[in-house]
Amino acid sequence: MSVITGLTRGGVAWTPAFITALRQATCIVCGGCYKVCPRVVFELVNRDDLDLDDADDDDDDDDDDGFSDDTSMVMSLKNALDCIGCEACSRVCPKKCLSHEPLPATA
């Protein structure tokens, strides 16, 4: 399968890997991905507005991270189709919440 490729300004072949997923359950909302993204791919949303599949659905607050689960925010993909495949967001994410893949070239 051939994938979308490009050239750097120096003429080196480069394969962009576009964002495919953001694991919101592990996101700590550091904002790094939002700040580094050259496009409008990310946005903050209320965690309450999402249906997160958290592995730990218990009601203890043993791991008090300073955020209330009732009012906290989480990063979300606003427009994944605006991703240019630079993967800058993945390089700054301390929790490795983002997944990327090259896209197939279409004829």
Side-chain angles (χ1 to χ4, degrees), residues 35-94:
K35 292 174 189 172
V36 75
C37 183
R39 308 290 297 172
V40 184
V41 174
F42 301 97
E43 71 177 337
L44 272 177
V45 296
N46 283 320
R47 195 175 290 268
D48 291 342
D49 296 341
L50 302 171
D51 182 25
L52 298 180
D53 292 332
D54 270 335
D56 54 3
D57 283 339
D58 55 17
D59 289 333
D60 338 342
D61 241 353
D62 290 343
D63 60 336
D64 188 9
D65 55 6
F67 295 100
S68 165
D69 288 340
D70 297 332
T71 59
S72 66
M73 304 289 281
V74 69
M75 200 57 68
S76 181
L77 293 176
K78 179 178 183 177
N79 189 359
L81 295 179
D82 257 358
C83 178
I84 61 172
C86 67
E87 296 181 83
C89 53
S90 281
R91 287 192 294 278
V92 300
C93 182

